[in-house]
Amino acid sequence: MNLVEKILARASGRESVEPGEIVVAKVDRLIMHDLSGYLTSQVYEKRVNTPIPDPERVVMVFDHHFAPPTEQQADVLRHNRQWARKHGLTLYDCGNGNLHHAAVRNGHIKPGMIVVGSDSHTPVHGTLGALAVALGNDSHAGTVLPYGKAWFKVPETTRVHLEGTPQPGVTPRDVALWLVGRIGEGELNYRAVEFGGPYVRGLSFWDRWLFPLLCVDLGAKCSFVEPDEVTEAFVRTLPGAGPDLLVRGDGGEAAQVLRFDVGEVGVQVACPPTVGNVKPVGAVAGTPVQYAELGGHGGGRLEDFRAAAEVLAGHRVHPDVRFHLVPSSREVFAEAAREGLVLALHEAGAMWFPPSTGSNQAYNMGALASDEAMISTHARNFPGRNGSPDASMYLASSETVAASAVAGVIAGRTA
Amino acid sequence: MKFEGRCWRFGDNIPTDRLVKTQYVFEPMEILVQHVLEDLNPEFPKQVRPGDVVFAGKHFGQSSGRAIATKALQATGIGCVVAETFARTFYRNCFEVGLPALEVGLNPGFAADGDRVRVDLTTGEFTNLTTQTMIRGAAADPFLVEMLEAGGLISLAKSRPEVFR
């Protein structure tokens, strides 16, 4: 059995499981943000409404809001707070960061766990060697909250084996975007995707994070990187108990193996209208942008701000561009301050926002007019995602986003 | 389980954000249902009738996993949603809220807007009555059919709590 099968077998009290079987398994963590939490609470209060036996397993993070801009949104947050308090759920209020980063940084996610959430990027927690799956609000309300369990179909596994050495200037984010273009959106429907090979093994924890993040756009159910010494060292930096659930596969079980040489990859930009419309940066270089942003579920890591500070050294943000910096967690902002990145990027003309998902879906900020364009580290670029459906959203690495903020047009980083 | 109605055809890679736009997420269902898929076909929310069938291309319902998108589609009264392939959380949500869904694989151009179509979920057959052609998709897992028959996941959990204890 591989990691996913082992986790499902253990959590469903079985010796073994096979792809295609449906099992009911014990869930270790339910994570919700302010929108999914609200929708789940509505279903729970109206249709289930019993005490929640294990409220400490449930973590809610307000991340689409960092401060509600309307009365209606304030009401949503007030409702969520009251609901969390009534049932004793763990709540991280506005300003703590985006759901996934805040849950990890505060020690709620560990290897070997089953993690569920209705945010579609929940599978990103497979970076820690957890089985992390996005479920709908009815699953959370109907089975996870009252019984601590959920049903799962055991997925077949595809291993994405990455080897080779990237060209100078090509980042893990470029490799991840390139893979969506090469494999194709939805092409790994219902599968568990394992990212492995010497390239992945050689990456730091937060660079590995960029790969399971994108698996949902490949259509996958979940994604993972098998825990190793990098995972273990990272988990030791988190609050709470150590990685005592490290699960490893028996090797060689993937039903399908896709091999790629990362040496083929150039600097990439995902263009409208979907994440899979990936092009070399040269194909769209020169396109004017009015907004650039390091944030969303795909960005706001310390690594992103370090990269931006390097690109901006000796330069200023172009006068036609608003460059948003959105830390993924309070811990990242604190570290960015200690490293001097906060002042350096501020003085170069960028704008800091509170830890959150930033302009993702424009709940607080970052709505686009019909003829405007944004380049960002966000995870999504669907039409209408941020304001007008006629606006253009481009996704790229933090280096490309920062270089574009300086140029006022989409631009690759120059040496 | 059989459904027969008019076909509404949509393309590939349609995200849930286009079923329910961000600005409507907190609105009551009677408002949501007036805006479902309106960017892609403004006539859909105005003209859809109970029993109609939504037929989409690849990776239907990708992006956000919020079940409100599925519920808004269900609230239009459609009998069934058919797609070449579904995004997995969307597919799961369909059965959990009690909306029948059938995946039929590659079939470009099989049915167009306004064609009369029939779906048999038990056999996986999808028939275009206008052109008298049929394709066979993957019949849903018995567990999912049981969920549909119970009226969705929460009703199933209430009627058979031993499954989740």
Side-chain angles (χ1 to χ4, degrees):
Chain A
M1 290 189 290
N2 66 21
L3 177 139
V4 163
E5 291 156 359
K6 279 189 174 177
I7 292 175
L8 279 175
R10 194 194 60 219
S12 60
R14 293 162 57 132
E15 291 274 305
S16 65
V17 296
E18 297 276 342
E21 282 186 293
I22 288 180
V23 299
V24 174
K26 197 161 180 238
V27 167
D28 298 290
R29 206 63 82 219
L30 165 56
I31 58 173
M32 298 184 284
H33 52 56
D34 30 8
L35 310 186
S36 58
Y38 181 78
L39 296 170
T40 297
S41 75
Q42 296 292 304
V43 179
Y44 194 78
E45 296 295 305
K46 287 178 185 147
R47 300 197 54 202
V48 183
N49 202 24
T50 57
I52 296 173
D54 297 309
E56 70 284 354
R57 289 168 184 258
V58 184
V59 177
M60 184 154 52
V61 180
F62 294 173
D63 65 355
H64 285 63
H65 296 92
F66 51 73
T70 67
E71 183 181 347
Q72 184 194 34
Q73 286 162 283
D75 279 339
V76 165
L77 297 187
R78 183 183 58 179
H79 166 92
N80 283 356
R81 286 187 194 103
Q82 287 171 344
W83 186 62
R85 202 172 298 132
K86 173 179 164 190
H87 290 287
L89 314 181
T90 307
L91 172 65
Y92 293 90
D93 213 308
C94 300
N96 274 287
N98 90 53
L99 170 63
H100 305 298
H101 289 261
V104 168
R105 294 274 186 178
N106 289 287
H108 296 289
I109 314 290
K110 295 288 163 66
M113 280 185 171
I114 293 187
V115 180
V116 300
S118 42
D119 186 84
S120 63
H121 289 108
T122 305
V124 74
H125 298 287
T127 315
L128 285 111
L131 169 57
V133 179
L135 311 179
N137 308 105
D138 284 36
S139 263
H140 302 326
T143 70
V144 180
L145 290 172
Y147 303 112
K149 291 187 177 178
W151 68 273
F152 299 94
K153 187 168 181 173
V154 182
E156 288 219 17
T157 299
T158 295
R159 178 176 303 144
V160 176
H161 180 94
L162 300 176
E163 56 197 1
T165 307
Q167 299 163 30
V170 172
T171 69
R173 171 75 167 172
D174 294 304
V175 175
L177 287 173
W178 177 84
L179 278 175
V180 180
R182 275 296 293 272
I183 297 172
E185 279 175 270
E187 290 299 316
L188 298 182
N189 215 7
Y190 297 101
R191 285 177 168 263
V193 179
E194 176 184 2
F195 287 101
Y199 175 70
V200 174
R201 293 276 163 216
L203 296 176
S204 71
F205 176 81
W206 286 113
D207 280 346
R208 293 177 179 189
W209 180 265
L210 302 173
F211 291 87
L213 180 80
L214 281 168
C215 81
V216 60
D217 297 299
L218 298 172
K221 173 198 192 80
C222 60
S223 175
F224 63 97
V225 178
E226 272 216 357
D228 61 6
E229 60 284 354
V230 172
T231 324
E232 210 165 330
F234 174 74
V235 174
R236 291 198 191 288
T237 68
L238 301 175
D244 53 353
L245 289 173
L246 282 174
V247 178
R248 292 193 176 92
D250 303 330
E253 316 84 345
Q256 178 190 25
V257 179
L258 304 176
R259 293 178 173 274
F260 298 98
D261 178 356
V262 301
E264 292 176 25
V265 183
V267 174
Q268 306 288 309
V269 179
C271 303
T274 64
V275 187
N277 188 22
V278 179
K279 296 178 181 171
V281 65
V284 284
T287 306
V289 290
Q290 290 75 39
Y291 292 92
E293 183 167 314
L294 300 181
H297 286 165
R301 306 166 307 149
L302 191 58
E303 290 74 3
D304 297 312
F305 301 125
R306 286 177 181 152
E310 268 188 43
V311 173
L312 262 67
H315 300 281
R316 281 194 63 77
V317 173
H318 192 280
D320 294 342
V321 178
R322 268 65 57 195
F323 188 16
H324 302 159
L325 309 175
V326 190
S328 55
S329 65
R330 290 182 71 83
E331 291 75 11
V332 161
F333 186 70
E335 189 53 42
R338 277 193 287 270
E339 288 189 17
L341 302 171
V342 170
L343 188 58
L345 289 165
H346 171 77
E347 286 183 340
M351 242 189 307
W352 286 93
F353 283 88
S356 62
T357 61
S359 76
N360 170 35
Q361 300 181 66
Y363 274 97
N364 290 281
M365 58 185 266
L368 301 174
S370 59
D371 55 353
E372 290 184 322
M374 174 187 282
I375 188 164
S376 75
T377 58
H378 285 197
R380 295 265 163 72
N381 64 339
F382 300 123
R385 185 88 176 167
N386 283 31
S388 170
D390 298 320
S392 305
M393 299 190 72
Y394 297 87
L395 311 175
S397 72
S398 34
E399 283 82 351
T400 303
V401 171
S404 304
V406 170
V409 295
I410 295 178
R413 181 183 181 177
T414 47
Chain B
M1 293 181 128
K2 287 184 184 165
F3 311 92
E4 194 174 313
R6 296 179 308 164
C7 176
W8 291 86
R9 181 75 212 233
F10 293 92
D12 291 340
N13 296 321
I14 295 170
T16 49
D17 313 70
R18 305 204 90 173
L19 285 155
V20 171
K21 280 187 283 191
T22 296
Q23 68 259 41
Y24 298 122
V25 164
F26 298 128
E27 299 290 342
M29 192 53 76
E30 51 269 31
I31 303 289
L32 287 183
V33 79
Q34 294 167 20
H35 298 283
V36 177
L37 289 165
E38 66 181 353
D39 281 353
L40 296 169
N41 183 348
E43 295 308 309
F44 177 74
K46 292 181 206 153
Q47 309 263 345
V48 64
R49 289 204 294 264
D52 285 356
V53 172
V54 162
F55 177 35
K58 286 197 292 186
H59 209 202
F60 186 59
Q62 64 170 318
S63 184
S64 164
R66 57 179 85 106
I68 195 89
T70 328
K71 288 178 178 174
L73 189 59
Q74 181 184 35
T76 64
I78 63 162
C80 186
V81 54
V82 181
E84 289 183 33
T85 58
F86 288 98
R88 64 155 297 284
T89 313
F90 185 85
Y91 183 73
R92 180 183 181 110
N93 282 339
C94 285
F95 289 89
E96 292 194 347
V97 308
L99 174 64
L102 177 68
E103 198 165 60
V104 290
L106 289 170
N107 53 78
F110 173 78
D113 267 343
D115 285 356
R116 281 206 76 77
V117 294
R118 183 169 63 216
V119 182
D120 186 334
L121 208 66
T122 323
T123 62
E125 286 172 354
F126 181 31
T127 309
N128 187 335
L129 299 168
T130 303
T131 61
Q132 288 296 315
T133 45
M134 189 268 279
I135 50 176
R136 194 183 298 271
D141 189 280
F143 179 77
L144 295 178
V145 174
E146 188 186 349
M147 198 184 292
L148 274 187
E149 285 168 349
L153 177 69
I154 293 175
S155 306
L156 176 73
K158 280 183 177 168
S159 62
R160 290 188 56 206
E162 70 278 7
V163 175
F164 294 99
R165 276 205 183 114

